[in-house]
Amino acid sequence: MSEGTGRRGLLIILSSPSGAGKSTLARRLMAWDASLSFSVSATTRPPRAGEVEGREYYFRDREAFETMTAGGEMLEHAEVFGNLYGSPAGPVEAAIAAGRDVLFDVDWQGGQQIRNSVLGKHTLSLFILPPSIIELERRLIERGQDTAEVIAARMQKSRDEISHWPEYDYVLVNDDLDVTERRLRTIVEAERLRISQQPGLVETVRHLNAEFEERT
């Protein structure tokens, strides 16, 4: 699905309350288009079973993370449930300059910082809503990753997270995963054709105008 090297890459931001499906949709989007790269975040939280350094996260202690932040090495960063999370800026800048899209699975705070960054005009932001709060809680319980206390904290936080939906370019209600994935693909394909993502258009129009001049 890659558009080739004639465009700038997009920073594709996916946000949602925990359990609404953004991580699953991110994995499906990358399976659909192998040219997409995933922005691997740094975090101070300990690894979960099966997680690998540099694949799911870069695991850092708090001192190392704060040094990176102070040095301007993070495109965005936030503290969530007592742990720090952030996106290293260098790999993202290199990717979009080379015409490769970068996918971000971040909360509303991270999305806001990315949209307000120097790369903000190249962002595509999407917020994923659950079909109901009951369904949201069921998904959190069934994935079996968190204790009852953590689930309760995530549910309490979800109301605030959902309140930020108007800040995004698009909002999708994830009541059917396959349908939501198809809509997500359509949006990405359309946004890749934005004028801001096609620097070659200026030269194309210049050639067209030159052809007009030759005809006079």
Side-chain angles (χ1 to χ4, degrees):
M1 310 294 175
S2 175
E3 302 296 325
T5 58
R7 67 176 181 90
R8 292 190 180 95
L10 286 167
L11 283 69
I12 304 172
I13 300 167
L14 288 181
S15 300
S16 76
S18 294
K22 72 178 184 299
S23 295
T24 300
L25 287 166
R27 287 193 297 271
R28 286 192 173 204
L29 197 61
M30 294 189 69
W32 164 67
D33 188 344
S35 72
L36 278 167
S37 60
F38 192 79
S39 176
V40 179
S41 297
T43 182
T44 59
R45 78 156 173 78
R48 292 173 178 154
E51 290 184 330
V52 176
E53 166 72 16
R55 187 179 68 187
E56 282 79 17
Y57 288 97
Y58 297 112
F59 297 99
R60 300 289 182 267
D61 61 29
R62 183 170 284 265
E63 182 180 358
F65 189 102
E66 290 175 345
T67 298
M68 293 175 70
T69 301
E73 297 177 42
M74 293 292 187
L75 187 61
E76 56 83 25
H77 60 91
E79 185 162 357
V80 182
F81 296 119
N83 294 305
L84 298 173
Y85 294 82
S87 301
V92 175
E93 293 171 341
I96 68 166
R100 300 192 307 272
D101 300 327
V102 181
L103 185 60
F104 292 82
D105 177 349
V106 295
D107 66 6
W108 70 267
Q109 293 169 297
Q112 188 178 77
Q113 290 182 57
I114 294 169
R115 291 193 301 274
N116 292 334
S117 74
V118 293
L119 302 177
K121 68 179 181 178
H122 302 300
T123 61
L124 162 60
S125 62
L126 305 103
F127 196 87
I128 311 300
L129 288 172
S132 71
I133 300 305
I134 292 174
E135 175 65 12
L136 183 67
E137 185 174 37
R138 184 191 68 78
R139 292 176 185 177
L140 286 173
I141 293 170
E142 287 194 350
R143 73 184 187 181
Q145 293 181 347
D146 300 308
T147 64
E149 291 76 14
V150 171
I151 289 173
R154 291 189 187 280
M155 289 299 298
Q156 187 173 3
K157 185 176 175 58
S158 66
R159 184 170 187 174
D160 176 60
E161 292 173 327
I162 289 172
S163 72
H164 291 275
W165 69 268
E167 301 171 14
Y168 287 74
D169 297 322
Y170 298 88
V171 178
L172 299 174
V173 179
N174 186 23
D175 52 358
D176 183 304
L177 191 58
D178 291 336
V179 172
T180 304
E181 180 190 355
R182 287 197 297 271
R183 290 172 177 168
L184 181 56
R185 291 182 188 180
T186 299
I187 292 167
V188 170
E189 288 185 318
E191 288 290 320
R192 285 171 168 173
L193 299 175
R194 259 196 267 160
I195 290 176
S196 64
Q197 302 311 112
Q198 298 187 75
L201 284 178
V202 173
E203 188 62 26
T204 297
V205 174
R206 185 178 293 120
H207 281 301
L208 291 173
N209 285 331
E211 287 186 54
F212 275 123
E213 293 297 325
E214 291 172 0
R215 295 168 65 90
T216 60

